[in-house]
Amino acid sequence: MNTRDKIVYIADRMIRDVGYNAFSYSDISEHMQIRPAAIHYHFHTKNDLGLEVIRQELERVRQFRREEGKNLSGEDQLKRLFYTFFRQSFEDQHCLMGALTPDFATFDEPMQKRIRELCGVILQWVSLCLEGERLADRMRFNGTADDRALLVISTLLSSLLLAPVIGREIFVRMADQLLEDLGAHWRVDDLGDVPEDFDDPHSYT
Amino acid sequence: MNTRDKIVYIADRMIRDVGYNAFSYSDISEHMQIRPAAIHYHFHTKNDLGLEVIRQELERVRQFRREEGKNLSGEDQLKRLFYTFFRQSFEDQHCLMGALTPDFATFDEPMQKRIRELCGVILQWVSLCLEGERLADRMRFNGTADDRALLVISTLLSSLLLAPVIGREIFVRMADQLLEDLGAHWRVDDLGDVPEDFDDPHSYT
DNA sequence: TTCCTTACTTACCAGTAAGTAAGTATTTTT
DNA sequence: AAAAATACTTACTTACTGGTAAGTAAGGAA
């Protein structure tokens, strides 16, 4: 990974760990062979870095849907989503939306716009998966798929936020309850174990 | 309201507006006839102030349950909870848990402990209300009341987090869907309008 | 009248934040 | 071989953070 991408990767993790307003360039520099000022060479302002972190996550989600997701059922795509969140619950990390929304009011317009974009893409993705599953009779729920997607995302998001407070096990409790309510025939346990090493920069979301 | 309580009130609002790590003593001082250093007279450190903000909210919830809540049905208590969150969605404010949990890793032990306490009290409260409503046949749900309380809180919490991003209307959408799923015969619309002025320091939570 | 407390103010500290400017070693292009 | 771009470092500025120290005006108690 080149320096630029490494900076973005570390910033991404920092945002998920402690929130956007609680990390600095010097925090990032401590995790790599670089001085804080060198980060300014790659990202003029912290805002630019923040924008890039969200842009890359947006791109990852879009690429997954374009390429891998194309050949996967809604169920398999949802499993991927749940697995990502499951893994993050083990790392005491939050999803980008959960980490960024509380500080939303402190961001400028371009940043807010991009968060809105990320939010829209994720909701649309989950909504389409849910609608497909309902049509295939593998899930059932009242109301629109859009509304149900909102509930799914909000449950995953808050289970990560609450995990460090209440305990890691609440992710499985909440996710399984959600799946039961949706009439799904699979549970978090079916997703497989989380590997020991967590150095791959994948995440949706 | 005396100076000390006013500081706590403003700090509370700031935490809900922009998060704990994004406000300073000078931000608070700008909202009252006082210099930043005077706040140190009342609260030696920012941590002490944070602790007091949570303590007061904890006390408010406990007092409500001890006094008013005693004579109210689970339904009326839940209505009170939903109404509080509904009102906050209009102010683009977050609940304390939603505002504090993303920064959780940056807090020291006493602070984390108190947030955990607040979280526990709220969940227990909602859980008891839900259990009562199920027994009274006014609500129905699978699984334990504790798990269902977790879902209710997480939905309310994230709807506030997402409101500034997606739009205020999502609070009503998500809350109503939640109530429908629970088999409740009431909706957010039944809670009455939110008044224009929002200067009363009540909030649970 | 003196003393002490309360509730501040002003002035300051050390530390850290984001950001800049100038210089340098290394690689790439011409 | 010279020039230029790349990827930094060192050293800095400005602004602001939480926190401290010393002083003071107002009020009540001895």
Side-chain angles (χ1 to χ4, degrees), chain A residues 101-104 154 157-158 161, chain B residues 16-17 81-99 152-168 170-172 174-175 203-205:
Chain A
T101 46
D103 298 349
F104 193 75
S154 92
L157 181 154
S158 10
L161 289 180
Chain B
R16 294 172 194 265
D17 278 339
L81 177 76
F82 274 67
Y83 181 74
T84 303
F85 276 77
F86 182 44
R87 195 173 60 175
Q88 276 167 344
S89 77
F90 272 80
E91 301 285 322
D92 284 337
Q93 284 209 338
H94 305 134
C95 66
L96 267 192
M97 278 170 48
V152 170
I153 288 300
S154 92
T155 304
L156 292 175
L157 182 154
S158 8
S159 68
L160 288 188
L161 289 179
L162 294 174
V165 183
I166 300 178
R168 247 166 231 170
I170 72 135
F171 175 82
V172 179
M174 293 178 68
S203 50
Y204 346 86
T205 154

Side-chain angles (χ1 to χ4, degrees), chain A residues 12-177:
Chain A
D12 180 284
R13 298 214 58 175
M14 290 255 171
I15 291 172
R16 294 171 194 265
D17 279 338
V18 297
Y20 184 85
N21 287 319
F23 83 93
S24 67
Y25 274 21
S26 92
D27 290 327
I28 294 179
S29 74
E30 279 170 17
H31 288 263
M32 45 196 301
Q33 245 67 327
I34 220 179
R35 302 285 122 203
I39 301 170
H40 286 285
Y41 171 77
H42 297 279
F43 300 98
H44 204 63
T45 67
K46 193 182 174 183
N47 218 321
D48 292 333
L49 175 55
L51 282 169
E52 179 63 12
V53 167
I54 308 171
R55 197 199 62 77
Q56 287 201 9
E57 174 66 7
L58 245 161
E59 186 46 36
R60 277 193 297 268
V61 177
R62 284 188 170 132
Q63 188 178 321
F64 171 74
R65 294 189 65 195
R66 263 201 318 269
E67 294 166 22
E68 288 180 83
K70 207 106 194 173
N71 311 310
L72 293 175
S73 65
E75 181 177 315
D76 284 338
Q77 291 180 62
L78 286 173
K79 278 180 177 171
R80 195 76 157 244
L81 178 75
F82 274 67
Y83 181 73
T84 303
F85 277 77
F86 183 44
R87 195 173 60 174
Q88 276 167 342
S89 77
F90 272 79
E91 301 286 322
D92 284 336
Q93 285 209 338
H94 304 134
C95 67
L96 267 191
M97 275 169 50
L100 291 171
T101 46
D103 298 349
F104 193 75
T106 69
F107 299 144
D108 67 359
E109 245 311 311
M111 190 85 162
Q112 295 193 344
K113 194 185 159 196
R114 197 156 293 184
I115 295 173
R116 217 166 256 132
E117 210 179 334
L118 178 64
C119 201
V121 165
I122 294 168
L123 282 171
Q124 198 198 26
W125 173 32
V126 175
S127 178
L128 253 79
C129 291
L130 290 174
E131 189 56 49
E133 288 305 285
R134 174 153 69 171
L135 243 84
D137 239 341
R138 281 193 298 263
M139 279 184 173
R140 56 188 142 69
F141 49 84
N142 297 325
T144 67
D146 276 358
D147 281 359
R148 201 49 59 165
L150 218 41
L151 187 75
V152 170
I153 287 299
S154 92
T155 304
L156 293 175
L157 181 154
S158 10
S159 68
L160 288 188
L161 289 180
L162 295 173
V165 182
I166 300 179
R168 246 166 233 170
E169 72 284 356
I170 72 134
F171 175 82
V172 179
R173 273 169 63 194
M174 292 178 70
D176 278 352
Q177 190 187 37

Side-chain angles (χ1 to χ4, degrees), chain B:
Chain B
M1 211 188 319
N2 63 27
T3 304
R4 189 190 142 95
D5 285 339
K6 195 166 181 184
I7 292 168
V8 175
Y9 176 58
I10 294 173
D12 180 286
R13 297 215 58 176
M14 289 254 171
I15 291 173
R16 294 172 194 265
D17 278 339
V18 297
Y20 184 85
N21 287 319
F23 83 91
S24 68
Y25 274 21
S26 92
D27 290 327
I28 294 180
S29 74
E30 279 169 16
H31 287 265
M32 46 196 302
Q33 245 69 328
I34 220 179
R35 300 287 121 203
I39 302 171
H40 286 284
Y41 171 78
H42 297 278
F43 300 97
H44 203 62
T45 67
K46 194 183 173 183
N47 219 322
D48 293 334
L49 175 55
L51 283 168
E52 179 63 10
V53 167
I54 308 170
R55 198 199 61 76
Q56 287 202 9
E57 174 66 7
L58 246 161
E59 186 45 37
R60 277 193 296 266
V61 177
R62 286 187 169 133
Q63 188 178 322
F64 171 74
R65 294 190 63 195
R66 265 200 317 270
E67 294 167 20
E68 287 180 82
K70 208 108 194 171
N71 311 310
L72 293 176
S73 64
E75 180 176 315
D76 284 339
Q77 289 180 61
L78 287 172
K79 279 181 176 171
R80 195 75 156 244
L81 177 76
F82 274 67
Y83 181 74
T84 303
F85 276 77
F86 182 44
R87 195 173 60 175
Q88 276 167 344
S89 77
F90 272 80
E91 301 285 322
D92 284 337
Q93 284 209 338
H94 305 134
C95 66
L96 267 192
M97 278 170 48
L100 292 172
T101 46
D103 298 348
F104 192 75
T106 69
F107 300 143
D108 68 358
E109 246 310 312
M111 190 84 163
Q112 293 192 346
K113 195 184 158 198
R114 197 156 293 184
I115 295 173
R116 217 166 257 131
E117 209 179 335
L118 178 64
C119 202
V121 165
I122 294 168
L123 282 172
Q124 198 198 27
W125 173 34
V126 175
S127 178
L128 254 80
C129 289
L130 289 174
E131 190 56 49
E133 287 305 284
R134 175 152 70 171
L135 243 84
D137 238 341
R138 281 193 297 264
M139 278 185 175
R140 55 186 145 69
F141 50 84
N142 297 324
T144 67
D146 276 358
D147 282 359
R148 200 52 55 167
L150 218 39
L151 187 76
V152 170
I153 288 300
S154 92
T155 304
L156 292 175
L157 182 154
S158 8
S159 68
L160 288 188
L161 289 179
L162 294 174
V165 183
I166 300 178
R168 247 166 231 170
E169 72 284 357
I170 72 135
F171 175 82
V172 179
R173 274 170 61 194
M174 293 178 68
D176 278 353
Q177 190 188 34
L178 194 64
L179 291 169
E180 191 191 326
D181 290 352
L182 288 166
H185 63 277
W186 52 278
R187 294 293 178 269
V188 174
D189 260 352
D190 304 327
L191 300 175
D193 290 330
V194 170
E196 286 294 314
D197 59 322
F198 183 75
D199 49 68
D200 92 84
H202 275 274
S203 50
Y204 346 86
T205 154

